[in-house]
Amino acid sequence: MTHQEFIVRRAQTRDVPLIQALVEPLVQQRILLGKDRVVFYEAVQEFRVVEDLDGNLVGCGALHVMWEDLGEVRTLAVSEDWLGKGVGHALIGRLEADARELGLSRLFCLTFEVEFFTRNGFVDMGTETVDPAVYAELVRSPDEGVAEFLDLARVKPNTLGNTRMLKRLA
């Protein structure tokens, strides 16, 4: 996916230190949860990155599959210099295309950036839950994102102030 000023592409292992550097200021501001570098390497195939025309990494985002029809948008970050220039929107578009390709029909995110995700078609989940049989399977996952989606008590300290949002894909 190419725009006039940037390119969205699949992440490569060489991008991991750059992804971590891009995310770090948001971790310091407690907007995103910090992750060890090994976790980024393990999930590199879930990431898309945005490069400016000089080859600098200016955005990233990941799609994590949670269930047969459900994925999570994770670690969405845009360089401060590139905010408001369509980078986040382009990333969401690519992650949605990836989700459709995988057969997903719903995307979840846990975010402070409610306005951004609302502009991109997400709605506040409120107290929405999942089918009890699906819940029984999901609750077995050690993944923190799944726990956040299920609104489990053990993740509450990490999710204070965040909004659980969902988008149904057409």
Side-chain angles (χ1 to χ4, degrees):
M1 185 181 281
T2 308
H3 298 264
Q4 285 82 6
E5 301 172 28
F6 58 83
I7 297 162
V8 181
R9 64 168 174 80
R10 181 174 296 287
Q12 299 173 329
T13 54
R14 68 179 165 84
D15 297 318
V16 166
L18 303 170
I19 290 169
Q20 197 171 27
L22 187 66
V23 168
E24 190 55 32
L26 299 171
V27 171
Q28 295 304 318
Q29 296 168 54
R30 301 181 64 80
I31 293 169
L32 291 177
L33 288 176
K35 295 178 179 150
D36 292 321
R37 188 165 290 184
V38 67
V39 176
F40 285 112
Y41 279 115
E42 289 171 345
V44 73
Q45 72 279 1
E46 298 181 353
F47 274 86
R48 295 291 183 168
V49 294
V50 178
E51 276 183 353
D52 68 13
L53 298 182
D54 295 323
N56 300 306
L57 203 74
V58 298
C60 67
L63 172 67
H64 182 76
V65 175
M66 297 168 88
W67 195 246
E68 66 180 338
D69 64 336
L70 179 66
E72 180 184 11
V73 173
R74 291 186 171 177
T75 321
L76 192 71
V78 175
S79 169
E80 202 170 333
D81 302 343
W82 283 81
L83 291 174
K85 296 183 178 172
V87 172
H89 182 74
L91 275 165
I92 290 284
R94 176 55 75 78
L95 295 173
E96 284 180 17
D98 292 346
R100 285 188 184 93
E101 202 174 281
L102 287 165
L104 304 178
S105 59
R106 296 181 301 158
L107 284 179
F108 165 73
C109 71
L110 182 75
T111 186
F112 288 109
E113 302 296 333
V114 174
E115 283 184 29
F116 168 80
F117 280 97
T118 298
R119 284 195 310 271
N120 284 280
F122 286 74
V123 295
D124 188 331
M125 279 178 65
T127 57
E128 183 178 329
T129 56
V130 294
D131 176 271
V134 173
Y135 184 98
E137 294 283 343
L138 284 172
V139 80
R140 294 179 186 164
S141 173
D143 188 88
E144 287 299 300
V146 173
E148 291 159 357
F149 173 74
L150 296 175
D151 208 21
L152 300 180
R154 72 176 169 84
V155 296
K156 294 282 194 221
N158 291 334
T159 62
L160 281 177
N162 276 292
T163 301
R164 294 163 63 239
M165 299 187 79
L166 198 65
K167 179 173 184 173
R168 296 186 191 287
L169 303 176

